[in-house]
Each structure stands twice: as C-alpha cells, then as structure tokens.
Amino acid sequence: MNKKHRFILTISILILVLLLSLTSCAKKETNKTEERKPEVYKIGVILSLTGAGSPLGIPERNALEMLADEINGKGGIDGIKLELIIEDDQTDPAKASQAARKLIEKDKVIALIGSSVSPCSLAIKEIVARYGIPWMCPSAANAITEGDIKWVFRTAPKDAVAVEALLNYISKNTKYKRLAILHDSNAFGQSGADEIKKRSVDFNVEIVSIEKYETNAPDLSSQLTKIKQSNPDAIIVWGTNPGPAIAAKNMKQLGLNIQYFGSHGIANKKFIELAGDAAEGVIFPAGKILVADQLDDGDPVKEYMLEFASKYEKRFKEKPVTFTAHTYDALNILVESIKKAKSIEPEKLREAIESTKDYIGLDGTIDYSKEDHDGIGIDDLVIVKIENGKWIKLQ
Amino acid sequence: MIETLIQLLISGAVLGSIYGLIGVGFSVVHTATGAINFAQGEFAVLGAFLAISLTGADLPHFFAVIISPIVLTLFVVLLFRIFLTRVADDALYLVVATIALSLMLKTLLLYFWGREPIGLSSPFQGKTLNIAGLMLGYDQLLIIAGALIAYIFLLFFFSKHPAGKAMKAVVEEKEIAMASGLNPALYQGVAFAFGSLLGAFAGCLVAPVSMLSYNSGGLLGLKGFASAIFAGLDRPERAVFGGIILGVIESLVVLFVPSGFKDVVALIVLLIVLTLKPEGFLSGGRKRLA
Amino acid sequence: MLGLFKKYKNLKIVLFFSLLLVFAGLFLNNEYYFATASIFVINSLLITSLMMVIGYAGQISLAHGAIYGIGAYTSAILTTKLGAPFLLALLASALAGFLVSLIVGAPSLKLRGHYLAMATLGVGEIIVILFQELDFLTGGVNGFVGIKPAEIFGYSFVNLTEYYALVSVIAVSILAFLAIFVDSKIGRALRAIKSSEIAASSLGLNPSFYKLMVFGLSGAVAGSCGSLYAHLDRFISPSTFSVSFSVMMVAMVIVGGESSFAGSLAAALIFSLLNEYVRQFQELSQFLFGLGLFLVAIYMKGGIGNIGKIFPAKLERVKRSEAS
Amino acid sequence: MLEIKGLNAYYGHIKAVKDFSLRVKKGEIIAILGPNGAGKTTLIRSIGGFSPPYTEGEIIFNGKNITRLKPFERLGLGIAVLLEGKRVFPGLSVADNLFIGGYTLRRRKKELKENIESVLELFPVLRERLNKRASVLSGGEQQMLAIARALISSPEILCLDEPSFGLGPKVVEAIFKTLDYLRKERGLSIVLVEQDAALALKFSDYSILMVSGSKKIEGRSKELINDKRLLNIYLGG
C-alpha cells in the first residue's frame, strides 16, 4: 500500500520533469550573431578582482579600462564604441565559468578576455570551446594552450617560457648546479615548480630539495631550515607576494646566504618594498616593461612601453606590472583584429587574430599561427637583478 | 642535525605564538557568547593595517601598536551595540553574522589598503640574535614574548578580575547570571571587543615578520581556531600553548614529509587528540557541551 | 495520494519545488539561465542534505564542500579517465560520498559543537589538500580539465537545457526520497534523539547508529551533487570545494532555518541568485554578498523557512522546558 | 511588598498561568504546590523576569511596577530568584560563585565582604570548600551554595523553584531550617515552589495549590494540612 503510493509519487514527478525537458528542447536556440553592424562592440572581461588572484586581476582591469577609454575617446573603432563588461570571479573557477556563460549567452559579447589565474582560465576554456568565441587569455598554465586551442590566444608568457628563461640564465651565466625550490602551493607556484623540475635535466642542474608553503603563510623559516640542510648552491622561489618577500627576510634571519632566484611573480615594486634589504641581489625573469628605460634604443618596444608606463602611472598612481601588459595587449590585438576582419562573426574574428604577425606590444613581439597560440617567446623576457632597490637588466 | 632540529623548534614556536595569539581571541569570544568569531583573522589584519597607517603618519612604532588595537576595539564595541546585540543570545546567528562580517571587512581592507600585501617596518630593522649558530630575530622574539604576556594577562583576568569572572559566569549559566544581576549582552559585548583587541594586538606583532594582505585573515583565523580547539575552549589563556604546540608540530613535520603534506599531518594529530580528549588537549578536563 | 502528502508533509514542498523547476524551464531562454538554474538545483540539494545533518542529527559538518568535491572528482575520474557510463559514475559518487561521510561523521560519536566543527573542518581540509597533491589523478591545483559530458544510453547531454532537465529529475527524486525519509519511522527516531539523547537510548534507539546514518545519507546526496556539478561545468578544481564553501553552506542552512526543507530551498535560491548578481560589482562583490548575509542573519533570526511559524517554534521550546 | 495582579503567562498559544494574583508580605513564606505542568515554574520565571513566557498583568514590588524589567534589573531592587534545576556555576570556585552573587555590590567592597561572611556563617560547610570548583560539590552543598549566592545581595524576597529536588531528607531539613531562620531573623519573604506538599505545608505560612495554570485551593498552611481535597488532587490527578 505504502510502497505503491511512493512509487506513484515518484513516477508522477519524473513524468512532470521529463515533460519540462521536452517543452524546453522544443524551443531551439537561435544563437547566430547578426551580420549587421552592432551599436557597440561588447567585450566580456572576467578577472580575479577579489580573493587570492586580486594582485593580478586589479592591474589587469586597470589596463583594460585605460585602453578602452582611450579608444573610445578617439571615437571607437570606425565610429563604433567599445564596451567592456567586467565580472569578478573571486578567484573561484566555478564562478569564472558562470561568468563566461553569462557574458556569452546573455550579454552576447563578441570576445572574452580573462581570467587572472590559471584554474579560472581553464574553467573558461571549457565554456569557450562549447560556444566558440575568440578568447584572449592572460594567465600562465601550460594546459591552456594544449589540446583544443582553436579559440584561445594567450598574451602572457606561459610557465614553460618563464622557467626556460631563468634556467637558461642559470646554466649559462652562473656556476650554480645544486638548486633548491621553494614555491607557493597555488596554481602559479605549483606549475612553476613542476616545470623547473621537468626542465632541470635539459639545463644540467640538480634539484636538491623542493618545499612548498600555503599562500599567505606568516612564516617560512621551517621550510627554509630544511632547505638549508640540503645544502644547495642557490634557491628558486616561485610565487607571488608576499611569500617570496617573507622567504627573503627569513633567509636573511636564518643566515642562509645563497643566491636567490625569483619568478616573474615578484616583478613589481612591492617585492622590493616588502623585502627591504633582503631583496638585494635577487635575480628573476620579467617582461621587458619592467626595465623599459634600460632596453637598447634599437628595441622596437622601448618607446611604446615608456609611453604606456607614464600614462598608466599618471592615471593609477602606481607603476605598471607585468600583468598589466597581458590584458593591454589582449585588448589591443582584439581591436586590431576587429578592424582587420571588418566583422564580428566569431570565425572571421578568430582568423583575424590568428593571422596577427609581428604585433609589437607591451609583452614583446607577438606572433600567432595556426599551431601556435602563444604569443610570447623566451626572447620577450629579460633577466633582472635587484641592486640598491632598483631593477638592473642583466641580459 | 640537532641544530636543525632546534632551529625548527624555534621556528615552530614563533609560528605557534602567532597562531596562539589569534587563538586566544577565539576562546575569549567563545567564553561569553558560545560562538566562534569568523572575522577574528580579519580583525588581526585590520589591527595590523591600522598600525601601519599610523606609523605612516609618523607616529612612533610603539604608540601605533597600542593605539591601533584600541581604535579597533572602539569600532567593534559600536558594531556590537548597533547590530550584534540582536543576535548575541543566539550563538548560531552570531556565527553567521561574523561570517558575513569577515566578507565585508575583506572588501573594506581591499578598498582602503589596496590589494598588495604590506609590512609594518620593524623597530629592530630585522636584527638577529645568534646563539651558538641558532638564529632568532628580535621581531620573532617579540612575538613569543607577546604570546606569553597575553597568557599571563588572561590568566589573571579570568581568575582574578571581576569582569573575567562575570564573563565566565555568563557563559556557564546564563539565567543564573542574569538572576545575579549580570546583563549578559554587556559581557558578550565586552568579550567580543576584548577578542578583537587581542586579535589586533596579534596582528600588530605579526606584521613586521610576515607581510599581511587583505586576504591573509582566512589562514590566520583557521590556524587560530585550531589552536583554541587544541587547548580547549573553556580555558582561554591556554590557547597560547595550543598554538605553540600546533606550530611546533607543523614545523617539525617538515623534516619527515613533503611540505605539501605538512598541514595534513598537523590536522591528523589534531584529530587524534580530539578523539582521545574530546574537550581539548589542554582543557581543564571537565566535560562540558560546547 | 492526498493521504501521502498528509503523512509526509515535506513532500508538498518538494512538489512545489518541482513545479517551480518546470515553470522556470518554460520561461528561461538561454543556456546561461539554464546553467544558473542547474546550479540552483544542485545547491538546493546540497544545502538540504547538510540541513539533515544539522537539523535532524543535531550535528555540524564543515566538510560538506569536501564531500561534494569527492563526488565531483569520483565522477570526473570514472567517466573521463576510465570511460565509465555517467549513471554508474553518479552512483559511485554517491557511494564515495557516503563512505567518506562516515569517516567525517565518526568523530560526531564523541565530539560536539565547536570541537566537532573543528574535527570535520580538519577532515575537509585534508581532503582538499589531497585533491591538490594527487595530481596524477586530479590534475592538481590547476584542476581537472575536459570532463566528459553526461551520457545516458548513448545520448549525450551537452546542451545545458537538456542537462537542466536531467539534473532536475535526479534532484527532485532525491529530494522526494529525503522528504519521505525525514517523516518516516527513522526520521521520527532522529528527532527523538535530537531532543534528548538519553531518553531516546532508553527507548532502545542507538543514537550513534542513527547519527552516522544521517551523515552517510547526507554524504551520498552531496556526492551525487558533486557528480552533477562536474558534468555541468566539465571542469573542477580544488578551490571550489574549500572550507570557505563549506562554511557558506552551514551559514545557508542556518539562514534557511535548522530543520526546514522549505527554508533550505529558499536559502539555496537566495545564495545562487545573490552569487550571480554580485559578480558584476567587481571588487564590491564580496562586500555585497556579506552585507546580504549579515542583514539576513540579524533581522531574520529563526530562519527564512520559519517566518510563518515563529509562534509554533516558541511553543515547541516551551513544551520541552515544561517536560524537563 | 510583592504583589502580582491578574498574571497571565503564555508560551505561544498555550496559557501556562491563568489570571493569577498574589500578595506577599514581609517575613512571610508562601508555598506554591501542584502537580507537574501546573504552571508553578512559569510563575517563578515570570517573577524573575525570564522569558519565555510572554506575560500579561502586573507585578508590583514595593510600589514599583517591575513587569517589564529585565531579570538582571530586578536583583538590585531586592528580588532574588533561584530557578529550577540550575543551581551553581559549575566551572567557578565556590568563592567565585559567591562573588558573582554579590556582583552588584562589587564596588562596595566592605559591604560585600560582610555579606559573604554572614552567609558563610549560615552555611559553614561552604567555608571549608571555598576554593573548590562548584561542580565537585554534592547536590546538597550545591543547593546551599545557590541559596547562599542569592542571599549575598541581601534581597528582601527570595523565590525558589523546587529546592528539595533530588536531595536527601536530612539536607532538605537543614535547608528549610535555614530558610525559616532567615525569615524570622531577617524578615526575608520567601516564595517557594515545592512538589513535596507535606514539607512545604509544614514550613510555610500560606499555601496555594495550582492546577493547570490556575489557583485551585489556597489558605493558611496549618489549615490546609488536613484538607482532603489536597490529597485527592495529588493522588487522583
């Protein structure tokens, strides 16, 4: 009796909901973009403006707003203005994918830019692959440009490039053979460390110990004490502030006097400010924008970078960092491609982006091709040393 | 090897003192309200940031470290008077309110102090004490000293000071306390403010060693909570030792396991301790429902 | 049929919920809305299952997010790495959630209140660290990329409209089961245990068994939620299942009202919509979310689900104090 | 001095006390009797100002309407209430328990000290255990501590809910003797809720029998002792 009731109930609910699925399937989606000229070019932006990724996301957003204002100030693209729709993913991939769906489906943006940290970008990758719109990505994980890369274009140096630049420098210009790695446990630190470990053989160096720390850990002396015991020639610290600065201070305090190599995550004034004296002598790979004034006069990007830096400083009262360049270039390439394609039809826009050649941006010279959607190569990075609280270009 | 071990012990004690200082704030709030203050970590960061801004305005370090917790405490008293009294009676809702508060505080910290971590310049300029090869910075020493001072102060407060006794009475038997002429909301407010004072104090001590960002509160809060639980919530002052034990475990564990699993081991130790002694490792031994 | 609704009061709410889902399905017109609705359905189920632990077993768990994650990773690994069919993976996720939840629940036999909160938080944290560290299996911190879409008898649910329907059917069935469960003999036993453990054990009920059972059941539901989520976004990463998510879930249960089905569903709706709404405010997003939660906590004491029953709630409290 | 006028107390829809009126004079002991669920506890809670219940009617103490005062505001006026079951702060020492009892006097150190002294004379057992945690005391000692704590603020009226519950006869006897002494020597008024009717009638001046929230029988205790109706209600329900 009772069981029968339950059965009937369950079945009726099942039927009810199945009905729903039929009715909603009947409404076929019409997702074609009209070929008429739109009133504005809507660009979707997803960045980590709060949460652990915000030190990346906020400068990235600043650069975009500055560029969009500039373009619109000049009348937009052939008279059509740009509109940025910016969403915060709170450094949570689940929110990033929802944001991507919203921007594509509801706001009908013509292209996406984002997100700041790799897990969020990887979440977006799934969505973009499904809907097929061009996507400019400013984050670093190798996996972003592996597999299906049809819609994704990267403007940031991927982990592999930054690691290669640093290891290349260490093996060619120094005599350090025994290296220790200390890295953040977040995506940036973990992928960096994995990459160093993988490439160490190619560059003939030995990794004698690997230690990690949680983002925002207040003290790193226990990890460093263990590293000290393994007796390395030099240490590579891969992370974003404040971890590397705490490590530098802790090293000094523990009397661990070995060469400190960093990542491009410390390519900002903040690191020098936080670490103080302990920052002296630190060597790390960085985008050219960091030392734009020290570039050879013949370098095609020098002028451009200096101009950008002064504009950025004027508006935001702070120096631009490596990350600002990634989104700035992304939007610029997008704008150029819209002009070139004379269409916002996804496939045509994508082809226009893919045909970008010798684009001179803040990150360096960007070339895309059918097989290569990574714009930045090892030549676009420089090795920088901190001396007297200033960056000195080494290569 | 033995030197490494001792060095790790010292590092652990420093780390643990940080945890413990945050942890006592949890216990104090719990003592009077029965709730866990999820914004404790944010209070610590807020305290540190206020102190940083004050030193930025050319106030001597010492004064900044004293004024900042006081300012924060006044802010919390106001907050409690205006909003939280409404939920002070119901620990569950108070907990939710503090969760919400921590989210809001994070945004305020981001808005006023920016996204990047900042450090408090140390009066010792990072000077280090070298005792037979063992290195201990003055700043680190100050943290340990701060934790011990907090311990002694709280021990005195809860066993000798009338307000401390009243706070304990309120949480033990609220209705008898009311019948004895105590206004629970007052003592809950006092406890809340006191907890935030301790948090801000902890933040000020930690800031010279570890740069804090608006986002650092979460991790600090989590470790502080663990220290408080480790020590048993019924004896607030002992959270200091709960923290130190936790810190030492975390630090020593690095020797034996990859540091990615450092927290796993520390948590497993905590779980084992909780199973063996459900009311906290260092607690008075009296079983009581939390 | 009507008798059934009288006996199992919460079924009415589930029926209303399913009507709401059908109604929503008729009016939504793009995949973003369907994804949002699917996430709402998943959250509803997740919050309701946690509500069972808090409201019916009187225990707390801060590992719910992690168990949700266990379900998601189980399903992702089984379908994508081992090629298992979706339905099997869904069942396996439920089973995994069930088993891990028993481990999470084990301390509840000895611990209470904040001590239990810490213990479950610890287990939850360990699970999330494992997601990060076992990268050969989970993809590590960067996340698990390229999860296969849900597939039933060869039909692939790539279209989110269809996936919404699938999620709804599964969720409503599970909710209906839960609704029947809480008003069954077992559910009544649970309520007896919650009001007085000593009295209940003198009636021959074994509190430990029942408490663990609720933990297990709730874990199984959370595990299936994870599976549903994994095939929606088709990408998962450890940070989604962090302690802060679990804390938020507990907050939602409290906001909804401790043992209220309707409240949990309402809280899920608020949570999902608020999350969607605040994202556009950029840096202010967390502040606005926090403000919303703060106001609800302060001015809606008793839970949204209990608004209509403030009087009866008082009544119950008295009955208890009179009895003692 | 204490007067209750037309008190109705509700728990939600349930009316636990119905139209109850009472006058307590100085130095009088009033016993409230009745079976379980008669509303006795509710009455005591209302006098103490504890909620629930929600109340209607007036409670007047020494000419002042105290109906809407919070519990902690009533002690200062001279009303001490000992609630059912809860007796002491288990985690505090005996001395601290007493200290909390005199918390309102903490600024007047001399008076507080004298009051504690005089209370300890009443209960010499407590003096020996001043530094023990209250939770380790026996049930009887805890009850004495509770009464002692309530007396420190020198109240004019003491309301007790089932002081004999769970205690041995000898202890109960001692406690009641002390109460009787307090009434005679200090003119303390006492409102006593008690299950043990024989005991309550023996010690009180005036008794009220409550059944399901209302007064059923009232009268001078000496006369009620032999009242058949009382026996019927207790035995027959």
Side-chain angles (χ1 to χ4, degrees):
Chain A
M1 181 68 192
N2 207 348
K3 270 183 188 153
K4 202 172 158 195
H5 271 311
R6 279 183 211 184
F7 181 65
I8 292 170
L9 184 87
T10 321
I11 288 295
S12 55
I13 292 174
L14 275 173
I15 291 171
L16 214 57
V17 186
L18 275 173
L19 251 173
L20 133 87
S21 69
L22 290 177
T23 47
S24 34
C25 290
K27 282 189 303 202
K28 271 282 170 243
E29 293 281 318
T30 49
N31 202 16
K32 273 183 202 149
T33 326
E34 293 141 44
E35 267 304 293
R36 269 187 300 123
K37 285 252 167 185
E39 286 166 19
V40 287
Y41 291 125
K42 284 189 192 168
I43 313 253
V45 179
I46 305 163
L47 293 170
S48 307
L49 299 171
T50 55
S54 61
L56 286 66
I58 293 175
E60 286 172 347
R61 195 256 327 260
N62 289 348
L64 284 177
E65 284 184 336
M66 187 169 108
L67 182 57
D69 286 352
E70 205 173 286
I71 292 170
N72 287 337
K74 288 178 191 157
I77 308 164
D78 300 329
I80 299 172
K81 300 221 164 171
L82 270 184
E83 184 191 344
L84 299 181
I85 303 177
I86 304 174
E87 303 253 330
D88 172 23
D89 64 31
Q90 299 180 8
T91 324
D92 177 359
K95 295 203 170 75
S97 54
Q98 263 304 85
R101 278 194 205 102
K102 182 204 161 217
L103 291 168
I104 298 171
E105 282 276 285
K106 179 164 173 260
D107 298 326
K108 311 270 185 222
V109 297
I110 59 168
L112 275 184
I113 298 176
S115 175
S116 314
V117 298
S118 300
C120 290
S121 294
L122 287 166
I124 294 173
K125 191 181 180 190
E126 297 297 321
I127 313 289
V128 166
R130 159 134 176 72
Y131 295 102
I133 72 162
W135 167 42
M136 309 297 297
C137 177
S139 49
N142 293 337
I144 293 171
T145 47
E146 283 163 6
D148 176 17
I149 59 165
K150 185 175 176 196
W151 297 100
V152 50
F153 297 91
R154 181 176 4 221
T155 51
K158 63 178 179 186
D159 297 325
V161 174
V163 166
E164 190 175 338
L166 183 65
L167 288 180
N168 190 35
Y169 173 81
I170 294 175
S171 73
K172 291 208 176 112
N173 300 56
T174 70
K175 49 188 188 319
Y176 306 123
K177 290 285 168 233
R178 294 165 54 79
L179 301 178
I181 305 175
L182 177 66
H183 67 94
D184 197 323
S185 57
N186 66 14
F188 182 80
Q190 185 69 52
S191 342
D194 290 347
E195 194 64 28
I196 298 171
K197 206 164 64 179
K198 205 168 83 191
R199 300 299 303 276
S200 59
V201 190
D202 304 346
F203 289 96
N204 197 22
V205 287
E206 188 193 351
I207 305 299
V208 291
S209 67
I210 303 181
E211 297 294 321
K212 66 166 87 170
Y213 61 87
E214 306 135 289
T215 317
N216 289 327
D219 187 275
L220 305 177
S221 26
S222 45
Q223 284 92 332
L224 287 166
T225 306
K226 197 179 171 195
I227 284 176
K228 192 178 182 184
Q229 210 194 4
S230 70
N231 201 19
D233 300 334
I235 182 169
I236 304 180
V237 181
W238 210 267
T240 46
N241 290 325
I246 298 175
K249 280 186 142 183
N250 284 162
M251 276 170 70
K252 196 177 165 213
Q253 169 232 330
L254 288 171
L256 183 59
N257 295 315
I258 53 174
Q259 176 61 45
Y260 181 123
F261 291 105
S263 69
H264 51 307
I266 59 170
N268 45 50
K269 274 272 173 256
K270 200 74 210 177
F271 174 74
I272 298 178
E273 193 185 298
L274 291 175
D277 294 351
E280 283 304 300
V282 169
I283 297 174
F284 58 92
K288 287 180 180 171
I289 189 168
L290 206 67
V291 285
D293 53 334
Q294 295 169 37
L295 294 175
D296 301 335
D297 284 334
D299 201 313
V301 297
K302 181 174 179 178
E303 196 77 356
Y304 184 49
M305 283 178 180
L306 285 175
E307 195 196 330
F308 167 79
S310 78
K311 274 191 291 186
Y312 187 91
E313 249 186 283
K314 208 171 141 200
R315 174 158 172 179
F316 298 107
K317 312 279 176 272
E318 60 180 32
K319 281 205 178 319
V321 294
T322 316
F323 310 113
T324 35
H326 306 336
T327 49
Y328 195 84
D329 286 347
L331 185 57
N332 250 333
I333 292 175
L334 212 50
V335 168
E336 292 303 317
S337 306
I338 293 171
K339 282 182 192 162
K340 201 157 59 180
K342 297 194 176 60
S343 162
I344 50 165
E345 212 260 305
E347 186 59 40
K348 283 185 186 149
L349 187 54
R350 193 197 75 82
E351 276 166 13
I353 300 172
E354 200 169 62
S355 68
T356 301
K357 285 275 171 300
D358 293 329
Y359 165 82
I360 296 168
L362 296 175
D363 285 297
T365 314
I366 294 177
D367 292 289
Y368 291 129
S369 67
K370 201 162 183 344
E371 296 77 31
D372 181 14
H373 285 192
D374 275 305
I376 300 294
I378 185 167
D379 305 338
D380 297 307
L381 294 180
V382 285
I383 299 292
V384 173
K385 183 178 188 179
I386 298 174
E387 275 172 22
N388 301 319
K390 292 209 164 50
W391 295 305
I392 307 295
K393 177 175 160 293
L394 289 181
Q395 272 183 340
Chain B
M1 180 65 198
I2 198 84
E3 199 176 282
T4 311
L5 205 67
I6 296 172
Q7 188 71 57
L8 282 176
L9 268 174
I10 295 173
S11 310
V14 174
L15 198 62
S17 299
I18 298 175
Y19 297 164
L21 274 167
I22 312 263
V24 286
F26 277 103
S27 307
V28 168
V29 170
H30 179 269
T31 299
T33 62
I36 289 298
N37 176 11
F38 272 83
Q40 185 68 19
E42 276 70 34
F43 282 156
V45 177
L46 187 55
F49 280 12
L50 274 175
I52 291 168
S53 289
L54 288 172
T55 49
D58 286 334
L59 214 68
H61 182 89
F62 178 73
F63 285 110
V65 165
I66 288 184
I67 292 173
S68 146
I70 293 173
V71 172
L72 180 65
T73 309
L74 292 177
F75 163 72
V76 171
V77 167
L78 266 176
L79 192 77
F80 200 89
R81 270 304 291 146
I82 300 172
F83 297 109
L84 295 178
T85 351
R86 299 179 64 100
V87 284
D89 273 356
D90 197 327
L92 275 182
Y93 281 83
L94 190 57
V95 167
V96 177
T98 61
I99 295 172
L101 195 61
S102 84
L103 289 175
M104 289 191 283
L105 279 178
K106 257 187 219 155
T107 315
L108 291 180
L109 291 169
L110 174 67
Y111 183 80
F112 287 108
W113 282 278
R115 61 184 189 269
E116 291 284 1
I118 33 183
L120 181 58
S121 53
S122 148
F124 303 111
Q125 311 287 338
K127 271 193 208 109
T128 303
L129 207 60
N130 185 338
I131 313 160
L134 294 172
M135 313 298 261
L136 184 59
Y138 282 99
D139 291 312
Q140 275 85 352
L141 211 59
L142 194 66
I143 289 176
I144 296 181
L148 292 178
I149 291 169
Y151 173 75
I152 293 165
F153 176 70
L154 286 172
L155 191 63
F156 168 80
F157 181 75
F158 280 107
S159 62
K160 293 281 182 293
H161 195 276
K165 289 179 191 172
M167 253 185 225
K168 273 195 160 174
V170 166
V171 77
E172 289 219 311
E173 290 293 350
K174 198 151 120 207
E175 291 200 324
I176 316 187
M178 278 160 95
S180 306
L182 268 56
N183 179 357
L186 176 68
Y187 290 96
Q188 283 160 344
V190 170
F192 214 80
F194 195 36
S196 61
L197 181 87
L198 288 164
F201 180 60
C204 291
L205 286 179
V206 177
V209 179
S210 32
M211 294 55 131
L212 299 173
S213 80
Y214 79 98
N215 230 350
S216 309
L219 184 78
L220 288 177
L222 194 69
K223 303 283 185 182
F225 180 42
S227 326
I229 292 282
F230 218 39
L233 285 166
D234 57 337
R235 302 298 292 270
E237 68 279 0
R238 294 191 184 170
V240 171
F241 294 120
I244 291 179
I245 293 173
L246 195 67
V248 168
I249 291 172
E250 271 189 22
S251 184
L252 289 184
V253 152
V254 171
L255 271 187
F256 311 106
V257 297
S259 40
F261 290 99
K262 176 180 76 137
D263 281 355
V264 173
V265 176
L267 286 168
I268 287 174
V269 172
L270 183 71
L271 285 175
I272 292 172
V273 165
L274 278 177
T275 346
L276 293 179
K277 210 159 174 234
E279 67 283 9
F281 188 47
L282 300 171
S283 116
R286 181 173 48 91
K287 286 201 182 189
R288 206 187 73 206
L289 304 185
Chain C
M1 199 63 192
L2 275 176
L4 199 63
F5 284 109
K6 212 170 254 174
K7 187 169 173 205
Y8 302 113
K9 288 178 199 112
N10 288 314
L11 271 184
K12 263 185 279 183
I13 293 157
V14 176
L15 184 71
F16 177 75
F17 180 70
S18 53
L19 285 176
L20 180 81
L21 295 186
V22 174
F23 196 67
L26 293 174
F27 278 80
L28 300 179
N29 59 11
N30 74 39
E31 289 212 334
Y32 159 62
Y33 292 130
F34 278 109
T36 310
S38 308
I39 289 171
F40 157 61
V41 175
I42 293 171
N43 282 339
S44 303
L45 204 50
L46 203 55
I47 293 174
T48 311
S49 64
L50 182 60
M51 180 275 289
M52 303 267 299
V53 173
I54 296 177
Y56 287 86
Q59 307 291 305
I60 194 159
S61 169
L62 285 177
H64 215 63
I67 290 170
Y68 177 48
I70 289 276
Y73 275 103
T74 307
S75 199
I77 293 167
L78 285 180
T79 56
T80 311
K81 297 214 158 156
L82 303 174
F86 167 71
L87 284 179
L88 185 71
L90 180 70
L91 278 178
S93 297
L95 186 66
F98 176 79
L99 293 175
V100 176
S101 208
L102 288 187
I103 300 171
V104 173
S108 74
L109 303 181
K110 263 191 109 168
L111 301 177
R112 286 178 155 273
H114 298 307
Y115 296 97
L116 180 61
M118 182 66 223
T120 54
L121 188 150
V123 180
E125 187 90 317
I126 291 173
I127 293 172
V128 174
I129 294 176
L130 290 180
F131 290 158
Q132 286 175 11
E133 298 296 323
L134 303 177
D135 47 2
F136 61 99
L137 212 56
T138 63
V141 268
N142 271 331
F144 195 115
V145 191
I147 299 170
K148 277 191 189 160
E151 207 179 275
I152 295 177
F153 306 124
Y155 186 79
S156 183
F157 286 78
V158 180
N159 185 320
L160 289 186
T161 312
E162 292 161 19
Y163 193 65
Y164 167 69
L166 179 70
V167 169
S168 302
V169 172
I170 295 171
V172 168
S173 326
I174 295 176
L175 273 177
F177 171 75
L178 291 181
I180 290 172
F181 176 84
V182 296
D183 283 316
S184 67
K185 246 187 214 158
I186 305 171
R188 288 200 298 274
L190 277 169
R191 249 169 288 164
I193 290 169
K194 199 197 163 195
S195 55
S196 168
E197 213 166 278
I198 300 160
S201 38
S202 69
L203 290 173
L205 299 168
N206 178 359
S208 314
F209 171 76
Y210 283 100
K211 272 194 260 175
L212 265 188
M213 191 161 86
V214 176
F215 259 103
L217 181 68
S218 137
V221 176
S224 2
C225 285
S227 169
L228 293 177
Y229 169 68
H231 296 280
L232 172 74
D233 266 3
R234 290 162 59 193
F235 169 84
I236 46 176
S237 85
S239 56
T240 306
F241 311 110
S242 65
V243 169
S244 58
F245 182 72
S246 302
V247 169
M248 206 47 78
M249 287 290 111
V250 172
M252 285 303 133
V253 171
I254 295 170
V255 161
E258 259 178 74
S259 46
S260 153
F261 256 70
S264 294
L265 300 178
L269 187 65
I270 293 177
F271 177 69
S272 313
L273 290 184
L274 200 57
N275 250 332
E276 279 305 309
Y277 181 71
V278 299
R279 220 179 29 231
Q280 56 184 304
F281 294 99
Q282 306 181 26
E283 282 105 317
L284 278 180
S285 58
Q286 291 198 6
F287 183 83
L288 292 174
F289 188 89
L291 187 67
L293 188 60
F294 192 72
L295 294 178
V296 169
I298 297 219
Y299 296 104
M300 280 199 184
K301 233 167 115 179
I304 337 172
N306 285 336
I307 277 184
K309 328 186 231 172
I310 288 172
F311 245 35
K314 268 190 179 165
L315 203 128
E316 211 167 292
R317 220 179 301 160
V318 175
K319 272 192 211 146
R320 234 179 286 147
S321 75
E322 285 283 287
S324 60
Chain D
M1 71 190 219
L2 179 77
E3 190 176 358
I4 300 174
K5 285 186 196 162
L7 183 78
N8 285 310
Y10 300 85
Y11 288 111
H13 295 299
I14 294 183
K15 212 177 198 182
V17 174
K18 294 167 195 157
D19 195 27
F20 192 94
S21 297
L22 174 70
R23 257 169 186 279
V24 185
K25 290 194 219 83
K26 192 170 160 64
E28 193 177 34
I29 298 186
I30 294 193
I32 314 280
L33 310 173
N36 266 338
K40 298 167 301 190
T41 294
T42 313
L43 181 68
I44 289 284
R45 288 182 70 86
S46 306
I47 297 174
F50 290 96
S51 62
Y54 167 75
T55 54
E56 289 168 359
E58 282 187 337
I59 303 175
I60 292 165
F61 184 70
N62 286 342
K64 190 176 177 204
N65 187 339
I66 61 160
T67 322
R68 294 280 160 253
L69 288 187
K70 298 252 167 59
F72 44 84
E73 293 164 328
R74 299 187 186 205
L75 184 75
L77 299 173
I79 306 176
V81 175
L82 288 187
L83 294 174
E84 174 195 30
K86 300 164 188 166
R87 287 169 178 165
V88 294
F89 300 109
L92 299 185
S93 69
V94 170
D96 284 348
N97 262 282
L98 294 176
F99 174 76
I100 295 291
Y103 200 71
T104 44
L105 304 174
R106 67 189 179 284
R107 298 254 150 67
R108 288 173 275 166
K109 289 221 170 83
K110 202 174 149 227
E111 192 182 338
L112 176 61
K113 212 174 168 193
E114 281 170 12
N115 287 3
I116 290 180
E117 267 312 303
S118 73
V119 166
L120 286 177
E121 268 164 38
L122 280 176
F123 301 102
V125 193
L126 297 179
R127 194 190 291 279
E128 298 160 19
R129 322 215 155 191
L130 271 180
N131 294 318
K132 289 242 159 57
R133 269 192 176 204
S135 55
V136 303
L137 299 183
S138 70
E141 287 164 345
Q142 288 194 10
Q143 187 60 278
M144 287 178 197
L145 177 57
I147 295 172
R149 191 193 60 231
L151 289 175
I152 288 179
S153 59
S154 345
E156 292 176 46
I157 183 165
L158 179 64
C159 306
L160 302 117
D161 197 350
E162 306 244 1
S164 72
F165 185 76
L167 303 180
K170 272 191 187 150
V171 183
V172 174
E173 182 83 13
I175 288 176
F176 275 84
K177 280 217 169 107
T178 316
L179 292 178
D180 198 45
Y181 168 83
L182 285 167
R183 176 263 295 271
K184 281 185 187 130
E185 293 298 309
R186 303 199 185 161
L188 182 72
S189 311
I190 294 170
V191 176
L192 179 73
V193 161
E194 189 51 74
Q195 282 272 28
D196 187 342
L199 187 73
L201 290 168
K202 186 174 153 203
F203 278 100
S204 63
D205 303 313
Y206 194 82
S207 297
I208 297 170
L209 177 76
M210 283 176 83
V211 174
S212 31
S214 358
K215 279 187 190 173
K216 191 88 179 181
I217 308 170
E218 61 180 314
R220 302 211 61 80
S221 302
K222 277 176 196 139
E223 295 156 17
L224 280 182
I225 281 183
N226 301 317
D227 197 316
K228 286 265 159 42
R229 289 177 299 166
L230 206 64
L231 206 66
N232 281 340
I233 285 167
Y234 266 93
L235 294 179

